[in-house]
Amino acid sequence: MVAKDFKVDLNKALVFQVGHLGEAYHEWVHQPIVGKDSPRFFENNILEFLTKNVWWAIPTIWIPVVCWSINLSFHMGQPHSEISTLVLAGMLAWTLIEYTLHRFVFHIKTESYWANTVHYLLHGCHHKHPMDGLRLVFPPAATAILCFPFWGFVKLLAGPCATPALFGGGLLGYVIYDCTHYYLHHGQPSSSPLAKHLKRYHLNHHFRTQTMGFGITSSLWDAIFGTLPERTVDSKTR
């Protein structure tokens, strides 16, 4: 299904085209188109609708779940001081999950038709169209599905009373990640040194060194695992 010298038609639905690029897909997807328009993914209108999400849906949907999870630990008898520690531990754990997924899953090199297609849906589309504001945050339906194995994994690490708070901390970390990611692309930090640093750091990943700088909310794990970029772009240039 891979076609030699295949050219993607940007005026047509993209998802089922990109797989034909074969080995050329990796180079093509890392040549960003800097525009705020949302390209067409699917011919089917329902599938197309499901690929688009507004950023504020993430805190609206998941913050109540975070609160419920933390409150559940409290009602199960977990002490306040320990709940706070568990929430912070969950948030820290999320930063490692964020880094690991971004580096080893979202940036895996693909060549076959279906591997290219899946990669484009997962992350490639974001590198090709980094300013597409409707495809920056993770679809809530997909997050809901992934919450089940994540809860099960947390349950293996913690006791029944601690599990909800640890899970809630991880989910809160995810919410912060997705909102931060949107802001780094569409916000204009003017006074916060941290926000300016994170924006420059992330833009560097998109526009200069796409094999480095995998952290979004923090560069901690890049520093630990040796993937800190040497230079960063000026956020005012994007």
Side-chain angles (χ1 to χ4, degrees):
M1 298 178 72
V2 172
K4 187 177 180 180
D5 299 325
F6 181 81
K7 302 293 183 184
V8 173
D9 186 344
L10 295 173
N11 295 313
K12 296 180 180 179
L14 295 176
V15 168
F16 293 123
Q17 289 191 71
V18 299
H20 294 298
L21 289 168
E23 294 180 358
Y25 166 76
H26 189 73
E27 180 180 357
W28 175 85
V29 84
H30 287 99
Q31 295 174 347
I33 298 173
V34 187
K36 294 187 177 181
D37 294 334
S38 293
R40 184 86 183 184
F41 272 24
F42 294 100
E43 293 291 348
N44 182 282
N45 289 330
I46 296 176
L47 291 177
E48 181 70 9
F49 171 77
L50 292 174
T51 67
K52 297 181 179 181
N53 302 277
V54 290
W55 74 268
W56 48 262
I58 304 306
T60 301
I61 293 170
W62 296 116
I63 288 298
V65 179
V66 170
C67 294
W68 172 83
S69 297
I70 296 171
N71 190 54
L72 182 59
S73 274
F74 171 72
H75 283 288
M76 293 176 74
Q78 196 74 23
H80 279 176
S81 58
E82 293 181 10
I83 288 177
S84 300
T85 302
L86 288 165
V87 171
L88 291 174
M91 294 173 66
L92 179 63
W94 167 259
T95 63
L96 179 58
I97 294 170
E98 165 197 318
Y99 173 88
T100 303
L101 287 174
H102 194 185
R103 180 178 178 182
F104 297 108
V105 178
F106 295 165
H107 279 267
I108 190 172
K109 192 169 183 179
T110 59
E111 296 180 359
S112 71
Y113 176 85
W114 286 111
N116 288 347
T117 302
V118 171
H119 180 270
Y120 183 78
L121 279 170
L122 277 177
H123 193 63
C125 60
H126 178 53
H127 271 268
K128 190 64 181 177
H129 300 273
M131 300 306 293
D132 182 352
L134 293 176
R135 294 192 177 100
L136 257 172
V137 297
F138 205 62
T143 304
I145 293 170
L146 293 174
C147 277
F148 289 98
F150 182 54
W151 178 281
F153 178 71
V154 172
K155 207 172 178 181
L156 294 174
L157 302 177
C161 297
T163 293
L166 190 58
F167 173 85
L171 189 59
L172 179 59
Y174 157 71
V175 172
I176 294 171
Y177 151 79
D178 241 354
C179 293
T180 299
H181 191 199
Y182 185 90
Y183 179 76
L184 296 182
H185 281 268
H186 293 280
Q188 295 298 330
S190 57
S191 58
S192 169
L194 176 61
K196 288 181 178 179
H197 164 72
L198 288 176
K199 186 175 179 72
R200 286 195 300 268
Y201 193 79
H202 190 56
L203 291 180
N204 185 81
H205 172 72
H206 274 281
F207 297 103
R208 180 170 288 156
T209 312
Q210 293 158 342
T211 57
M212 306 287 277
F214 297 103
I216 306 297
T217 55
S218 168
S219 56
L220 170 65
W221 300 108
D222 283 305
I224 291 173
F225 294 117
T227 51
L228 278 173
E230 292 183 1
R231 298 182 300 164
T232 57
V233 297
D234 186 347
S235 62
K236 295 180 181 180
T237 65
R238 298 293 177 187

